[in-house]
Amino acid sequence: MGSSVSRLLRGPAVLYLPAALFLLVFFLVPLFNVAWMSFTEPDTGFGNYTAFFASSFDVGVLLNTFKTAAIVTLTSLIFAYPVAYVAARYGGALGSILLLVVTLSFWTSFLVRTYAWMVILGVKGPVTAALIMLGWSPPPQILFTTFASTFAMTHLLMPFMILTLYAVMRRIDGTYMRAAAGLGAKPLKAFTSIYLPLSLPGIANGSVLVFITCLGFYVTPVLLGSPRDKMIAGRIGDEIEQMLNFGGASAMAIVLLVATLGLFALYSRFFGLDKLWR
């Protein structure tokens, strides 16, 4: 036993120990504690889970979370694809500027960008002022609506989609498109038949990253969205801060974790998790 431990400490496996200890202390132990509280607070059993699935409000919040994540993922893809396409296919100064803007946005805190949108979409913000100048009086309320929350989350998560798409698109050989043009294919036909299928791994990778990240959003929907658009992270916060219901909040967190792992399993089944980071 002692010799085995000694060989382990002298081998390359020792390099994994710092990361393993970090994950054990700061991830696995808290996760186990959350799972434990979901079954023991305030009473032992499945009461917290039964209460969650018996509440139409809580189930509705969970479904709204998935619906919002799906909408944000789709809108992110729609806006991000052209940006990634131009940056990867044409490069040059335009591509460098696009990537610089995306990277700067990626490095800026979610909280800072959320407060920026509060100013931009507020009653005295530039968007409302522009609508008034265009003759829209009284202007519609934009802040604290579903549109504001969805739009801001799309902006916050677009860098994930753009950078993931760009990583895949820059590896697509441009000679394919030139060969298609040489054979008489029109640009749209060459794009839909050659370029779009080759970029599908980037679409899948970016979509799963944006979707799963959006599932855990808390600050943006609370600060910008309507109370009717509450997401599961905000519901967990309410249970802890207002109700001191740690068991119920833990059960909600475990349900969200299981749902997220289920999505990862589906992605792994069809695409393979090893391709997620390529």
Side-chain angles (χ1 to χ4, degrees):
M1 180 67 179
S3 61
S4 300
V5 174
S6 179
R7 282 198 302 271
L8 180 65
L9 293 177
R10 288 198 302 268
V14 72
L15 299 175
Y16 295 103
L17 283 179
L21 286 174
F22 182 87
L23 288 176
L24 176 66
V25 174
F26 294 104
F27 178 70
L28 291 180
V29 172
L31 180 61
F32 176 79
N33 187 47
V34 169
W36 178 260
M37 284 197 299
S38 72
F39 290 106
T40 59
E41 293 288 343
D43 301 313
T44 303
F46 293 89
N48 290 319
Y49 293 93
T50 304
F52 175 79
F53 287 107
S55 169
S56 58
F57 176 74
D58 288 336
V59 173
V61 169
L62 181 64
L63 294 177
N64 180 64
T65 301
F66 280 86
K67 183 187 76 173
T68 303
I71 294 173
V72 170
T73 302
L74 180 61
T75 50
S76 296
L77 177 61
I78 292 173
F79 288 114
Y81 197 96
V83 178
Y85 178 82
V86 171
R89 183 157 171 74
Y90 299 102
L94 178 58
S96 299
I97 292 172
L98 288 175
L99 289 178
L100 178 62
V101 172
V102 172
T103 306
L104 289 175
S105 177
F106 182 75
W107 286 339
T108 306
S109 163
F110 276 11
L111 189 59
V112 171
R113 283 187 281 168
T114 299
Y115 278 119
W117 280 115
M118 288 187 71
V119 175
I120 294 171
L121 301 178
V123 176
K124 298 182 179 179
V127 174
T128 302
L131 292 176
I132 293 175
M133 287 180 61
L134 293 173
W136 199 326
S137 182
Q141 177 178 340
I142 303 176
L143 198 60
F144 309 128
T145 63
T146 303
F147 169 79
S149 176
T150 305
F151 189 83
M153 284 192 286
T154 300
H155 168 256
L156 296 177
L157 294 175
M158 267 185 61
F160 290 90
M161 184 71 80
I162 293 173
L163 294 176
T164 307
L165 285 169
Y166 175 78
V168 172
M169 288 178 174
R170 67 192 296 268
R171 295 201 298 267
I172 298 176
D173 195 337
T175 58
Y176 295 153
M177 298 292 284
R178 291 195 291 273
L183 292 172
K186 294 183 177 179
L188 181 59
K189 178 66 176 176
F191 175 81
T192 55
S193 302
I194 298 174
Y195 201 90
L196 184 61
L198 291 175
S199 66
L200 284 179
I203 295 175
N205 295 349
S207 297
V208 74
L209 282 177
V210 170
F211 187 88
I212 290 176
T213 304
C214 190
L215 288 178
F217 257 61
Y218 172 70
V219 173
T220 306
V222 170
L223 294 180
L224 299 176
S226 164
R228 296 173 301 177
D229 303 321
K230 187 177 288 297
M231 296 178 68
I232 192 68
R235 184 75 184 93
I236 293 172
D238 290 346
E239 287 295 308
I240 294 175
E241 297 168 2
Q242 300 177 14
M243 308 299 292
L244 298 179
N245 182 11
F246 294 96
S250 299
M252 292 179 190
I254 294 299
V255 169
L256 181 60
L257 176 63
V258 171
T260 305
L261 292 177
L263 289 173
F264 265 118
L266 282 176
Y267 180 87
S268 178
R269 172 69 177 82
F270 292 103
F271 298 101
L273 280 179
D274 58 320
K275 296 179 181 177
L276 186 59
W277 314 111
R278 294 183 181 176

